[in-house]
Coordinates of all heavy atoms in Angstrom, one line a residue:
R1 N -20.3 -28.3 18.2 CA -19.0 -28.4 17.4 C -19.2 -28.9 16.0 O -20.0 -29.8 15.8 CB -18.1 -29.3 18.1 CG -16.8 -29.4 17.6 CD -15.8 -30.1 18.5 NE -15.2 -31.2 17.8 CZ -14.4 -32.0 18.4 NH1 -14.0 -31.8 19.5 NH2 -13.8 -33.0 17.6
A2 N -18.7 -28.2 15.0 CA -19.0 -28.5 13.6 C -18.4 -29.9 13.3 O -17.2 -30.1 13.8 CB -18.4 -27.4 12.6
R3 N -18.9 -30.6 12.5 CA -18.5 -31.9 12.1 C -17.2 -31.8 11.3 O -17.0 -31.0 10.4 CB -19.5 -32.6 11.2 CG -19.8 -33.9 11.8 CD -20.9 -34.5 11.0 NE -20.4 -35.7 10.3 CZ -21.2 -36.5 9.6 NH1 -22.6 -36.3 9.6 NH2 -20.7 -37.6 9.0
G4 N -16.3 -32.6 11.5 CA -15.0 -32.6 10.8 C -14.0 -31.5 11.2 O -12.9 -31.5 10.7
R5 N -14.3 -30.7 12.1 CA -13.4 -29.6 12.6 C -12.8 -30.1 13.9 O -13.3 -30.7 14.9 CB -14.1 -28.4 13.0 CG -14.4 -27.5 11.8 CD -14.9 -26.3 12.3 NE -14.8 -25.3 11.2 CZ -15.4 -24.1 11.3 NH1 -15.9 -23.7 12.4 NH2 -15.3 -23.2 10.2
R6 N -11.4 -29.8 14.0 CA -10.7 -30.1 15.2 C -10.9 -28.9 16.2 O -10.9 -27.8 15.9 CB -9.2 -30.2 15.0 CG -9.0 -31.4 14.1 CD -7.4 -31.7 13.9 NE -6.7 -30.4 13.7 CZ -5.9 -30.2 12.7 NH1 -5.9 -31.0 11.6 NH2 -5.3 -29.0 12.6
R7 N -11.1 -29.2 17.5 CA -11.2 -28.2 18.5 C -9.8 -27.4 18.5 O -8.8 -27.9 18.6 CB -11.5 -28.8 19.8 CG -11.9 -27.7 20.8 CD -12.8 -28.2 21.9 NE -12.1 -29.2 22.7 CZ -12.6 -29.6 23.8 NH1 -13.8 -29.3 24.2 NH2 -11.9 -30.5 24.5
G8 N -10.0 -26.1 18.7 CA -8.8 -25.3 18.8 C -8.0 -25.1 17.5 O -7.0 -24.4 17.4
H9 N -8.7 -25.4 16.4 CA -8.0 -25.3 15.1 C -8.2 -23.9 14.6 O -9.3 -23.4 14.6 CB -8.6 -26.3 14.0 CG -8.0 -26.1 12.7 ND1 -6.7 -26.5 12.4 CD2 -8.6 -25.5 11.4 CE1 -6.6 -26.1 11.0 NE2 -7.7 -25.6 10.6
L10 N -7.1 -23.2 14.2 CA -7.2 -21.8 13.7 C -7.0 -21.9 12.1 O -6.5 -22.8 11.6 CB -6.1 -21.0 14.3 CG -6.2 -20.8 15.7 CD1 -5.0 -19.9 16.3 CD2 -7.4 -20.0 16.2
A11 N -7.4 -20.7 11.5 CA -7.3 -20.7 10.0 C -5.8 -20.6 9.8 O -5.0 -20.0 10.3 CB -8.0 -19.5 9.5
R12 N -5.5 -21.2 8.5 CA -4.1 -21.3 8.2 C -3.6 -19.9 7.7 O -4.3 -19.2 7.1 CB -4.0 -22.2 6.9 CG -2.6 -22.4 6.5 CD -2.5 -23.4 5.3 NE -1.4 -23.0 4.6 CZ -1.5 -22.6 3.3 NH1 -2.6 -22.5 2.7 NH2 -0.5 -22.2 2.6
R13 N -2.5 -19.4 8.4 CA -2.0 -18.1 8.0 C -1.3 -18.1 6.7 O -0.4 -19.1 6.5 CB -1.1 -17.7 9.2 CG -0.8 -16.1 9.0 CD 0.0 -15.7 10.1 NE 1.4 -15.9 9.8 CZ 2.4 -15.8 10.7 NH1 2.1 -15.5 12.0 NH2 3.7 -15.9 10.3
E14 N -1.5 -17.3 5.8 CA -0.7 -17.1 4.5 C 0.6 -16.5 4.8 O 0.7 -15.5 5.3 CB -1.5 -16.2 3.6 CG -0.9 -16.2 2.2 CD -1.9 -15.5 1.3 OE1 -3.0 -15.2 1.6 OE2 -1.3 -15.1 0.2
E15 N 1.7 -17.2 4.3 CA 2.9 -16.7 4.5 C 3.6 -16.6 3.1 O 3.7 -17.6 2.4 CB 3.8 -17.6 5.4 CG 3.3 -17.6 6.8 CD 4.2 -18.5 7.7 OE1 5.2 -18.6 7.4 OE2 3.6 -18.9 8.7
R16 N 4.3 -15.4 2.8 CA 4.9 -15.3 1.5 C 6.0 -14.3 1.8 O 5.9 -13.4 2.6 CB 4.0 -14.6 0.4 CG 2.9 -15.6 0.0 CD 2.3 -15.0 -1.3 NE 0.9 -14.8 -1.0 CZ 0.1 -14.3 -1.9 NH1 0.7 -13.8 -3.0 NH2 -1.1 -14.1 -1.7
T17 N 7.0 -14.4 1.0 CA 8.1 -13.4 1.0 C 8.3 -12.9 -0.4 O 7.9 -13.6 -1.4 CB 9.4 -14.1 1.5 OG1 9.8 -15.1 0.7 CG2 9.1 -14.5 3.0
G18 N 8.9 -11.7 -0.5 CA 9.1 -11.3 -1.8 C 10.1 -10.0 -1.7 O 10.6 -9.8 -0.6
A19 N 10.3 -9.4 -2.8 CA 11.2 -8.2 -2.8 C 10.5 -7.1 -3.5 O 9.5 -7.2 -4.1 CB 12.5 -8.6 -3.6
G20 N 11.0 -5.9 -3.2 CA 10.4 -4.7 -3.9 C 11.5 -3.7 -4.0 O 12.5 -3.7 -3.4
A21 N 11.1 -2.6 -4.8 CA 11.9 -1.5 -5.1 C 11.1 -0.3 -5.4 O 9.9 -0.4 -5.8 CB 12.9 -1.8 -6.2
G22 N 11.6 0.9 -5.2 CA 10.8 2.1 -5.5 C 11.6 3.3 -5.9 O 12.9 3.2 -5.6
L23 N 11.0 4.1 -6.5 CA 11.7 5.5 -6.9 C 10.8 6.6 -6.5 O 9.7 6.6 -6.8 CB 12.0 5.5 -8.4 CG 12.6 6.7 -9.1 CD1 14.1 6.8 -8.5 CD2 12.6 6.6 -10.4
E24 N 11.4 7.7 -5.9 CA 10.7 8.9 -5.6 C 11.5 10.0 -6.2 O 12.7 10.2 -5.9 CB 10.6 9.1 -4.2 CG 9.8 10.2 -3.7 CD 9.6 10.3 -2.2 OE1 8.8 9.6 -1.8 OE2 10.4 11.2 -1.6
V25 N 10.9 10.9 -7.0 CA 11.5 12.1 -7.5 C 10.6 13.2 -7.1 O 9.5 13.2 -7.1 CB 11.7 12.0 -9.0 CG1 12.7 10.9 -9.4 CG2 10.4 11.8 -9.8
G26 N 11.2 14.4 -7.0 CA 10.5 15.6 -6.5 C 11.3 16.8 -6.2 O 12.6 16.7 -6.4
G27 N 10.8 17.8 -5.9 CA 11.6 19.0 -5.6 C 10.6 20.1 -5.1 O 9.4 19.9 -5.0
G28 N 11.1 21.2 -4.7 CA 10.3 22.2 -4.3 C 11.0 23.3 -3.6 O 12.3 23.5 -3.8
T29 N 10.4 24.1 -2.8 CA 10.9 25.2 -2.2 C 10.8 25.1 -0.6 O 10.2 24.0 -0.3 CB 10.4 26.6 -2.6 OG1 9.0 26.6 -2.2 CG2 10.4 26.8 -4.1
E30 N 10.9 26.1 0.1 CA 10.8 25.9 1.5 C 9.3 25.8 1.9 O 9.0 25.1 2.9 CB 11.3 27.1 2.3 CG 11.4 27.1 3.8 CD 12.1 28.3 4.4 OE1 13.1 28.7 4.0 OE2 11.4 28.9 5.2
R31 N 8.4 26.5 1.1 CA 7.0 26.4 1.4 C 6.2 25.3 0.6 O 5.1 25.1 1.0 CB 6.4 27.7 1.2 CG 7.1 28.9 2.1 CD 6.3 30.1 2.0 NE 5.0 29.8 2.4 CZ 4.1 30.8 2.6 NH1 4.3 32.0 2.5 NH2 3.0 30.5 2.8
F32 N 6.8 24.9 -0.4 CA 6.0 23.9 -1.4 C 7.0 22.8 -1.9 O 8.1 23.0 -2.2 CB 5.6 24.7 -2.5 CG 4.8 23.8 -3.6 CD1 3.6 23.4 -3.4 CD2 5.6 23.4 -4.7 CE1 2.9 22.6 -4.3 CE2 4.9 22.6 -5.5 CZ 3.6 22.2 -5.4
D33 N 6.5 21.6 -1.8 CA 7.2 20.4 -2.2 C 6.2 19.6 -3.0 O 5.0 19.4 -2.7 CB 7.8 19.5 -1.2 CG 9.0 20.2 -0.5 OD1 9.8 20.7 -1.2 OD2 9.1 19.9 0.8
A34 N 6.6 18.7 -4.0 CA 5.9 17.9 -4.8 C 6.7 16.7 -5.1 O 7.9 16.9 -5.5 CB 5.3 18.5 -6.1
V35 N 6.2 15.4 -5.1 CA 7.0 14.3 -5.3 C 6.0 13.3 -6.1 O 4.9 13.3 -6.0 CB 7.5 13.6 -4.0 CG1 8.5 14.4 -3.3 CG2 6.3 13.1 -3.2
A36 N 6.8 12.5 -6.9 CA 6.0 11.4 -7.6 C 6.7 10.1 -7.2 O 8.0 10.0 -7.0 CB 6.2 11.6 -9.1
R37 N 6.0 9.1 -7.0 CA 6.5 7.8 -6.6 C 6.0 6.6 -7.5 O 4.9 6.7 -8.0 CB 6.0 7.5 -5.2 CG 6.5 8.5 -4.1 CD 5.9 8.1 -2.8 NE 6.2 9.2 -1.9 CZ 5.3 10.0 -1.5 NH1 4.1 10.0 -1.9 NH2 5.5 11.0 -0.6
I38 N 7.0 5.7 -7.7 CA 6.5 4.4 -8.4 C 7.3 3.4 -7.7 O 8.5 3.5 -7.2 CB 7.0 4.4 -9.9 CG1 6.4 3.3 -10.6 CG2 8.4 4.7 -10.2 CD1 6.5 3.2 -12.1
G39 N 6.6 2.2 -7.4 CA 7.2 1.1 -6.7 C 6.8 -0.2 -7.5 O 5.9 -0.2 -8.2
W40 N 7.6 -1.1 -7.2 CA 7.5 -2.5 -7.8 C 7.7 -3.5 -6.8 O 8.6 -3.4 -5.9 CB 8.5 -2.6 -9.0 CG 8.5 -4.0 -9.6 CD1 7.7 -4.5 -10.4 CD2 9.4 -5.1 -9.2 NE1 7.9 -5.8 -10.8 CE2 9.0 -6.2 -10.0 CE3 10.6 -5.2 -8.4 CZ2 9.6 -7.5 -10.0 CZ3 11.1 -6.4 -8.3 CH2 10.8 -7.5 -9.3
E41 N 6.9 -4.6 -6.7 CA 7.0 -5.6 -5.7 C 6.8 -6.9 -6.3 O 5.8 -7.1 -7.1 CB 6.1 -5.3 -4.6 CG 5.1 -6.3 -4.0 CD 4.5 -5.7 -2.9 OE1 3.6 -4.7 -3.1 OE2 4.6 -6.3 -1.8
T42 N 7.5 -7.8 -6.0 CA 7.3 -9.3 -6.4 C 6.2 -10.0 -5.8 O 5.9 -9.7 -4.5 CB 8.6 -10.1 -6.3 OG1 8.8 -10.3 -5.0 CG2 9.8 -9.5 -7.1
R43 N 5.5 -10.9 -6.5 CA 4.6 -11.8 -5.9 C 4.8 -13.1 -6.4 O 4.6 -13.5 -7.6 CB 3.2 -11.4 -6.4 CG 2.8 -10.0 -5.9 CD 2.4 -10.0 -4.4 NE 2.0 -8.8 -3.9 CZ 1.5 -8.7 -2.8 NH1 1.4 -9.7 -1.9 NH2 1.2 -7.4 -2.3
P44 N 5.2 -14.1 -5.6 CA 5.6 -15.4 -6.0 C 4.4 -16.2 -6.6 O 4.5 -17.2 -7.3 CB 6.2 -16.1 -4.8 CG 5.7 -15.3 -3.6 CD 5.5 -13.8 -4.2
D45 N 3.1 -15.9 -6.2 CA 2.0 -16.6 -6.6 C 1.4 -16.0 -7.9 O 1.0 -15.0 -7.9 CB 1.0 -16.7 -5.6 CG -0.3 -17.4 -5.9 OD1 -0.3 -18.1 -6.9 OD2 -1.3 -17.3 -5.1
P46 N 1.5 -16.7 -9.0 CA 1.0 -16.1 -10.2 C -0.5 -15.9 -10.2 O -1.0 -15.0 -11.1 CB 1.4 -17.1 -11.4 CG 1.7 -18.4 -10.7 CD 2.0 -18.1 -9.2
G47 N -1.2 -16.4 -9.3 CA -2.7 -16.2 -9.2 C -3.0 -15.0 -8.4 O -4.2 -14.7 -8.3
D48 N -2.0 -14.3 -7.9 CA -2.3 -13.2 -7.0 C -3.0 -12.0 -7.7 O -2.6 -11.8 -8.9 CB -1.0 -12.7 -6.4 CG -1.3 -11.9 -5.1 OD1 -2.4 -11.4 -4.9 OD2 -0.3 -11.7 -4.4
A49 N -3.9 -11.4 -7.3 CA -4.7 -10.3 -8.0 C -3.8 -9.0 -7.9 O -4.1 -8.2 -8.7 CB -6.0 -10.0 -7.4
F50 N -2.9 -8.7 -6.9 CA -2.2 -7.6 -6.9 C -1.3 -7.3 -8.2 O -0.6 -8.3 -8.6 CB -1.2 -7.5 -5.6 CG -2.0 -7.2 -4.4 CD1 -2.4 -8.2 -3.6 CD2 -2.2 -5.9 -4.1 CE1 -2.9 -7.9 -2.3 CE2 -2.9 -5.7 -2.8 CZ -3.2 -6.7 -2.1
A51 N -1.4 -6.1 -8.7 CA -0.5 -5.8 -9.8 C 0.8 -5.4 -9.1 O 1.0 -5.0 -8.1 CB -1.1 -4.6 -10.4
P52 N 1.9 -5.8 -9.7 CA 3.2 -5.6 -9.2 C 3.6 -4.1 -9.2 O 4.6 -3.8 -8.4 CB 4.2 -6.3 -10.0 CG 3.6 -6.4 -11.4 CD 2.1 -6.4 -11.1
V53 N 3.1 -3.1 -9.8 CA 3.5 -1.8 -9.9 C 2.4 -0.9 -9.1 O 1.3 -1.2 -9.2 CB 3.4 -1.3 -11.4 CG1 3.9 0.3 -11.4 CG2 4.4 -2.1 -12.1
V54 N 3.0 0.0 -8.4 CA 2.1 0.9 -7.4 C 2.6 2.3 -7.8 O 3.8 2.7 -8.0 CB 2.4 0.7 -6.0 CG1 1.6 1.7 -5.1 CG2 2.2 -0.7 -5.6
F55 N 1.6 3.3 -7.9 CA 2.0 4.6 -8.3 C 1.5 5.5 -7.2 O 0.5 5.2 -6.5 CB 1.2 5.1 -9.6 CG 1.6 4.3 -10.8 CD1 0.8 3.2 -11.2 CD2 2.6 4.7 -11.5 CE1 1.1 2.5 -12.3 CE2 3.0 4.0 -12.7 CZ 2.2 3.0 -13.1
G56 N 2.1 6.6 -7.1 CA 1.7 7.6 -6.0 C 2.3 8.9 -6.1 O 3.2 9.2 -7.1
G57 N 1.9 9.8 -5.3 CA 2.5 11.2 -5.3 C 2.2 11.9 -4.0 O 1.4 11.5 -3.2
G58 N 2.8 13.1 -3.8 CA 2.5 13.9 -2.7 C 2.8 15.4 -3.0 O 3.6 15.7 -3.8
V59 N 2.0 16.1 -2.2 CA 2.2 17.7 -2.3 C 2.2 18.2 -0.8 O 1.4 17.7 0.0 CB 1.1 18.2 -3.0 CG1 1.1 19.8 -3.0 CG2 1.0 17.8 -4.5
R60 N 3.2 19.1 -0.6 CA 3.2 19.8 0.8 C 3.2 21.3 0.4 O 4.0 21.8 -0.3 CB 4.5 19.3 1.5 CG 4.5 20.1 2.8 CD 5.9 19.9 3.5 NE 7.0 20.5 2.8 CZ 7.4 21.8 2.8 NH1 6.7 22.7 3.4 NH2 8.3 22.2 2.0
I61 N 2.3 21.9 1.2 CA 2.2 23.4 1.2 C 2.3 23.9 2.6 O 1.5 23.6 3.4 CB 0.9 23.9 0.5 CG1 0.8 23.3 -1.0 CG2 0.9 25.4 0.6 CD1 -0.5 23.6 -1.5
D62 N 3.4 24.6 2.9 CA 3.7 25.0 4.4 C 3.7 23.7 5.2 O 4.5 22.8 5.1 CB 2.8 26.0 4.8 CG 3.0 27.4 4.2 OD1 4.2 27.6 3.9 OD2 2.1 28.2 4.0
R63 N 2.7 23.6 6.2 CA 2.7 22.5 7.1 C 1.7 21.4 6.7 O 1.6 20.4 7.4 CB 2.4 23.0 8.4 CG 3.5 23.9 9.0 CD 3.1 24.1 10.4 NE 3.1 25.5 10.8 CZ 2.9 26.0 11.9 NH1 2.6 25.2 13.0 NH2 2.9 27.3 12.2
L64 N 0.9 21.7 5.7 CA -0.1 20.7 5.2 C 0.4 19.8 4.1 O 1.0 20.3 3.1 CB -1.4 21.5 4.7 CG -2.5 20.7 4.1 CD1 -3.1 19.9 5.4 CD2 -3.5 21.5 3.6
A65 N 0.3 18.5 4.1 CA 0.7 17.6 3.1 C -0.4 16.6 2.8 O -1.2 16.1 3.6 CB 1.9 16.7 3.7
V66 N -0.5 16.2 1.5 CA -1.5 15.4 1.0 C -0.7 14.3 0.2 O 0.2 14.6 -0.7 CB -2.5 16.1 0.0 CG1 -3.4 15.0 -0.6 CG2 -3.2 17.1 0.8
D67 N -0.8 13.0 0.5 CA -0.3 11.9 -0.2 C -1.4 11.0 -0.8 O -2.4 10.8 -0.3 CB 0.6 11.0 0.7 CG 2.0 11.7 1.1 OD1 2.6 11.9 0.2 OD2 2.1 12.2 2.4
F68 N -0.9 10.5 -2.0 CA -2.0 9.7 -2.7 C -1.2 8.4 -3.3 O 0.0 8.4 -3.7 CB -2.5 10.4 -3.9 CG -3.5 9.5 -4.8 CD1 -4.8 9.3 -4.4 CD2 -3.1 9.0 -6.0 CE1 -5.6 8.5 -5.1 CE2 -3.9 8.3 -6.7 CZ -5.2 8.1 -6.3
A69 N -1.7 7.2 -3.2 CA -1.3 5.9 -4.0 C -2.3 5.2 -4.6 O -3.5 5.2 -4.2 CB -0.6 5.1 -2.8
Y70 N -2.0 4.5 -5.6 CA -2.8 3.7 -6.5 C -2.3 2.4 -6.8 O -1.2 2.4 -7.1 CB -3.1 4.4 -7.7 CG -3.9 3.6 -8.8 CD1 -5.3 3.7 -8.6 CD2 -3.3 2.9 -9.7 CE1 -6.1 2.9 -9.6 CE2 -4.1 2.2 -10.7 CZ -5.4 2.2 -10.6 OH -6.2 1.3 -11.5
R71 N -3.0 1.3 -6.7 CA -2.7 0.0 -7.2 C -3.8 -0.8 -7.7 O -4.9 -0.7 -7.2 CB -2.2 -0.8 -5.9 CG -2.0 -2.3 -6.3 CD -1.6 -3.2 -5.2 NE 0.0 -3.2 -5.2 CZ 0.8 -3.6 -4.3 NH1 0.3 -3.9 -3.2 NH2 2.0 -3.6 -4.5
A72 N -3.5 -1.3 -8.9 CA -4.5 -2.1 -9.7 C -4.7 -3.4 -8.9 O -3.6 -4.0 -8.4 CB -4.2 -2.3 -11.1
L73 N -5.8 -4.0 -8.9 CA -6.1 -5.3 -8.3 C -6.7 -6.3 -9.3 O -7.5 -7.2 -9.0 CB -7.0 -5.2 -7.1 CG -6.5 -4.4 -5.9 CD1 -7.5 -4.2 -4.8 CD2 -5.3 -5.1 -5.4
G74 N -6.3 -6.2 -10.5 CA -6.8 -7.1 -11.6 C -8.3 -7.3 -11.6 O -9.0 -6.1 -11.7
P75 N -8.9 -8.4 -11.5 CA -10.3 -8.5 -11.6 C -11.1 -7.9 -10.5 O -12.2 -7.7 -10.5 CB -10.6 -9.9 -11.7 CG -9.4 -10.6 -11.2 CD -8.3 -9.7 -11.3
L76 N -10.4 -7.5 -9.4 CA -11.1 -6.9 -8.2 C -11.2 -5.5 -8.3 O -11.8 -4.8 -7.5 CB -10.3 -7.3 -7.0 CG -10.1 -8.8 -6.7 CD1 -9.2 -9.0 -5.5 CD2 -11.4 -9.4 -6.5
G77 N -10.6 -4.9 -9.4 CA -10.7 -3.3 -9.6 C -9.4 -2.7 -9.1 O -8.4 -3.1 -9.6
S78 N -9.4 -1.7 -8.2 CA -8.2 -1.1 -7.8 C -8.5 -0.5 -6.4 O -9.5 -0.5 -5.9 CB -7.9 0.1 -8.7 OG -9.0 1.0 -8.8
T79 N -7.3 -0.1 -5.7 CA -7.4 0.4 -4.5 C -6.7 1.9 -4.5 O -5.7 1.9 -5.2 CB -6.7 -0.4 -3.4 OG1 -6.9 0.3 -2.1 CG2 -5.3 -0.7 -3.7
R80 N -7.2 2.8 -3.7 CA -6.5 4.2 -3.8 C -6.4 4.5 -2.3 O -7.3 4.2 -1.5 CB -7.5 5.1 -4.3 CG -7.6 5.0 -5.9 CD -8.8 5.6 -6.5 NE -9.0 5.4 -7.8 CZ -9.7 4.2 -8.2 NH1 -10.2 3.3 -7.4 NH2 -9.9 4.0 -9.5
Q81 N -5.3 5.1 -2.0 CA -5.1 5.5 -0.5 C -4.7 6.9 -0.5 O -4.1 7.4 -1.3 CB -3.9 4.7 0.1 CG -4.3 3.2 0.2 CD -3.1 2.4 0.8 OE1 -1.9 2.8 0.6 NE2 -3.5 1.3 1.4
L82 N -5.4 7.8 0.4 CA -5.2 9.1 0.5 C -4.8 9.4 2.0 O -5.4 9.0 2.9 CB -6.5 9.9 0.1 CG -6.4 11.4 0.2 CD1 -5.5 11.8 -0.9 CD2 -7.8 11.9 0.0
G83 N -3.7 10.2 2.1 CA -3.3 10.6 3.4 C -3.3 12.1 3.5 O -2.9 12.8 2.6
L84 N -3.5 12.6 4.7 CA -3.6 14.1 4.9 C -2.9 14.2 6.3 O -3.1 13.5 7.3 CB -5.1 14.5 5.1 CG -5.2 16.1 5.2 CD1 -4.6 16.8 4.1 CD2 -6.7 16.4 5.5
S85 N -1.8 15.1 6.2 CA -1.1 15.4 7.5 C -0.8 16.8 7.7 O -0.9 17.7 6.7 CB 0.2 14.6 7.6 OG 1.1 14.9 6.6
Y86 N -0.6 17.3 9.0 CA -0.5 18.6 9.3 C 0.6 18.6 10.4 O 0.4 18.0 11.4 CB -1.7 19.4 9.8 CG -1.5 20.9 10.0 CD1 -1.6 21.7 9.1 CD2 -1.3 21.2 11.4 CE1 -1.3 23.1 9.3 CE2 -1.1 22.6 11.6 CZ -1.1 23.5 10.6 OH -0.9 24.8 10.8
R87 N 1.6 19.5 10.2 CA 2.6 19.5 11.3 C 2.4 20.7 12.2 O 2.3 21.8 11.6 CB 4.0 19.7 10.5 CG 4.5 18.4 10.0 CD 5.9 18.4 9.6 NE 6.4 17.1 9.3 CZ 7.6 16.8 9.3 NH1 8.6 17.7 9.5 NH2 8.0 15.5 8.9
F88 N 2.6 20.6 13.4 CA 2.3 21.6 14.4 C 3.6 22.3 14.7 O 4.6 21.8 14.7 CB 1.6 21.1 15.6 CG 0.2 20.7 15.4 CD1 0.0 19.3 15.2 CD2 -0.8 21.6 15.4 CE1 -1.4 18.9 14.9 CE2 -2.2 21.2 15.2 CZ -2.4 19.8 15.0

């Protein structure tokens, strides 16, 4: 057992609450759709690396859809998420 540790002690869980909002605009036809997204979210801790603004978009051709999102992480760089889906 490590010195100074209590037995059964778990790491402290980070708890935060905040608010957010987003906007999605797009259009298309029966076979093709495209959308652009922007979102904003509050972060109560001023030292948090997350940027409050998130950008993204998506394209659907027939049953195949591709979605993308980007968020800056300050000194940590950025994160990108890509989603691919197909409807049967």
Side-chain angles (χ1 to χ4, degrees):
R1 186 168 122 176
R3 235 173 112 169
R5 280 192 164 169
R6 296 186 317 243
R7 190 160 63 175
H9 177 71
L10 298 175
R12 186 175 149 250
R13 191 175 91 188
E14 185 175 344
E15 294 183 26
R16 289 195 243 176
T17 59
L23 177 67
E24 180 177 290
V25 294
T29 65
E30 187 177 313
R31 297 189 60 171
F32 175 82
D33 285 323
V35 296
R37 299 178 188 101
I38 186 169
W40 174 80
E41 126 180 70
T42 63
R43 294 286 181 175
D45 182 6
D48 199 346
F50 281 99
V53 179
V54 181
F55 299 96
V59 174
R60 181 191 59 84
I61 302 171
D62 286 330
R63 295 192 233 176
L64 180 67
V66 178
D67 286 293
F68 177 78
Y70 171 86
R71 169 178 263 166
L73 294 175
L76 300 176
S78 62
T79 181
R80 293 160 190 85
Q81 296 176 332
L82 184 66
L84 181 64
S85 61
Y86 183 82
R87 287 192 169 197
F88 293 94

